[in-house]
Amino acid sequence: MKKMSFVLLGAAALSMAACNKNANEVAADNVEANAGAMADNMDAMAENTSNDAMEDSLHNQADQLKDKADNVADNVAAGKMTEGQGNAAVNAM
């Protein structure tokens, strides 16, 4: 088991080195990707509602989520918060 985790850790390190991103930048990308998926789901819900006001509200919430995720991801990339803290901040919206 220890050998397997060492191999996986090595593979992760190589993949990170290959893209020239540090751990904070990778974590920031993950926060943005998670928020982007949530926003896409909100947009899909908006398209599936027959209520125009609800549709507009959901689209606005999705846009706000993306904006917040950008700000949070900047903090994660700068090392001001961890990926977990970033995801929690985005999910709290």
Side-chain angles (χ1 to χ4, degrees):
M1 186 66 167
K2 288 182 183 180
K3 288 181 183 179
M4 178 60 99
S5 55
F6 181 76
V7 170
L8 292 174
L9 183 61
L14 286 175
S15 66
M16 285 175 48
C19 66
N20 292 329
K21 289 187 176 184
N22 66 33
N24 290 346
E25 291 170 333
V26 172
D29 289 346
N30 290 340
V31 169
E32 283 189 291
N34 291 337
M38 290 171 41
D40 289 345
N41 287 339
M42 291 174 113
D43 282 330
M45 286 189 303
E47 294 304 317
N48 288 328
T49 186
S50 59
N51 184 322
D52 290 339
M54 180 61 75
E55 181 179 357
D56 290 341
S57 176
L58 286 168
H59 283 305
N60 288 337
Q61 288 177 34
D63 291 340
Q64 290 172 355
L65 181 62
K66 289 175 188 175
D67 291 342
K68 181 166 185 163
D70 287 340
N71 293 333
V72 169
D74 289 343
N75 287 328
V76 172
K80 296 178 181 176
M81 58 184 3
T82 67
E83 181 178 349
Q85 291 169 328
N87 283 325
V90 171
N91 290 337
M93 183 175 171

